[in-house]
Amino acid sequence: MQSLDLDLLRTFVAIAETGNFSSAAKAVLRTPSAVSMQVKKMEDAVGHPLFLRDSRTVALTDEGAIVLAHARRMLAMDLDFMAEFHPNDVQGEVRLGIHDDVAERFLPDILRRLDRTHPGVVLNAVVTESENMLEHLAKGKLDLALVARLDAQKKERPGEVMLRERLVWAGSIGGIAHELDPIPVTVWDKSCPWRIAGLEGLKAQGRPFRIALESGHLSGQTAAVKADLAVAPIPRSALSEDMIDVTELAGLPPLCAYELVLVTQDNLQDAALATAEHLRACFATESMAA
């Protein structure tokens, strides 16, 4: 059984992120023919095609998507390991747009690891909604943003996928909110992907509902769930110990997955480039833990 070394994995990730062999070759400082040879070596080792090719771009096969997740995990662990011995001297301030729930669930680990790998980078986290982030990016007020989207929003919210996670209906353990008719729901505004997925699912099912609480903060929505005032469409990882997935229990419509994507300004400075790479490593490790 052959193994895949880090050099091959770096090339593979570069192809997946740039969408073609020529751009990936420039990113990894190799010729396109050398990159093609590396891909063939990986496909021989895995025993499956990893890319679907046309005249201009490439797309991942199902097996390629599995390899991409593995590659990002391995490169993330290598980055963490080397940072212990070679602290990064990049300096500067980086403006990052981030959702309230992402800040609550992931920002502590992001900050801890960023301080270890890039101690000279100051992260200015702007907590706001996706639509605001995209507007701020367009006006040059943000360097990077972690934007939430559904599959149907890919065209209007393009970006590099950091995390993909299924949404579930959250209810209180021992609660009865999910038994009520109409069922009480807590959500955020009309642009929120979680709200869109949840309410469209209820409408398609013909399930009567009422909005019991609107909150732009995950803590507000989970408070309503814990108090047994409502159910909420939230990511599975956001379920706390006193909350359960009541989708099947209440006969609620199964929900789709949502994605967290990284959107960046063009021509980023070194500090922002380093932070973007750091975010890729953080979420690669998060996916591994999940």
Side-chain angles (χ1 to χ4, degrees):
M1 182 181 297
Q2 301 181 52
S3 61
L4 301 177
D5 62 37
L6 293 179
D7 190 41
L8 292 178
L9 297 179
R10 287 191 185 93
T11 298
F12 183 84
V13 171
I15 297 169
E17 291 178 351
T18 61
N20 63 74
F21 282 29
S22 297
S23 298
K26 292 179 182 178
V28 298
L29 304 178
R30 291 181 177 273
T31 64
S33 60
V35 167
S36 295
M37 291 178 62
Q38 285 188 303
V39 171
K40 185 179 186 307
K41 185 175 181 180
M42 294 185 68
E43 290 180 331
D44 289 343
V46 175
H48 294 277
L50 301 178
F51 292 105
L52 300 172
R53 302 167 175 83
D54 61 27
S55 59
R56 291 188 176 183
T57 62
V58 296
L60 291 170
T61 63
D62 291 343
E63 292 80 11
I66 295 172
V67 173
L68 179 60
H70 169 74
R72 283 177 167 162
R73 293 165 189 164
M74 295 302 294
L75 294 173
M77 288 190 290
D78 181 65
L79 179 64
D80 273 356
F81 174 75
M82 294 306 295
E84 296 290 340
F85 302 96
H86 303 283
N88 196 297
D89 60 358
V90 172
Q91 297 186 3
E93 179 179 345
V94 178
R95 301 162 300 173
L96 171 67
I98 191 169
H99 281 272
D100 166 75
D101 71 283
V102 177
E104 183 175 327
R105 293 187 292 151
F106 302 118
L107 190 57
D109 184 57
I110 290 172
L111 293 175
R112 176 181 58 80
R113 295 179 59 183
L114 184 63
D115 182 65
R116 187 172 75 244
T117 60
H118 301 87
V121 173
V122 178
L123 189 63
N124 179 358
V126 180
V127 180
T128 186
E129 301 304 315
S130 288
E131 287 190 347
N132 293 336
M133 292 184 213
L134 295 174
E135 182 179 340
H136 292 338
L137 279 166
K139 294 180 178 179
K141 295 180 179 180
L142 289 176
D143 302 302
L144 314 167
L146 290 169
V147 174
R149 74 180 186 194
L150 302 175
D151 286 345
Q153 297 173 308
K154 286 185 177 180
K155 288 186 177 180
E156 62 190 83
R157 297 182 179 183
E160 179 184 347
V161 178
M162 297 287 102
L163 181 71
R164 183 176 176 86
E165 186 177 9
R166 180 159 293 280
L167 298 171
V168 300
W169 288 102
S172 174
I173 291 181
I176 61 168
H178 62 275
E179 299 175 357
L180 301 180
D181 186 19
I183 190 167
V185 181
T186 173
V187 288
W188 183 217
D189 68 17
K190 294 181 180 180
S191 68
C192 174
W194 304 356
R195 174 181 178 135
I196 294 171
L199 299 192
E200 287 187 355
L202 290 172
K203 291 175 183 177
Q205 189 186 54
R207 183 74 170 262
F209 67 89
R210 64 180 180 85
I211 305 299
L213 175 73
E214 289 188 336
S215 174
H217 300 282
L218 177 63
S219 58
Q221 293 182 4
T222 56
V225 171
K226 293 175 184 178
D228 198 28
L229 297 179
V231 298
I234 63 174
R236 183 180 297 277
S237 67
L239 292 173
S240 61
E241 293 181 356
D242 43 4
M243 297 162 60
I244 59 171
D245 176 1
V246 295
T247 304
E248 293 186 6
L249 181 65
L252 290 166
L255 299 177
C256 60
Y258 93 106
E259 293 178 335
L260 194 65
V261 298
L262 176 64
V263 186
T264 70
Q265 288 280 5
D266 296 329
N267 304 315
L268 292 177
Q269 299 300 312
D270 287 347
L273 286 170
T275 303
E277 187 60 33
H278 170 80
L279 290 171
R280 295 184 183 102
C282 284
F283 282 99
T285 304
E286 175 65 29
S287 298
M288 179 176 61

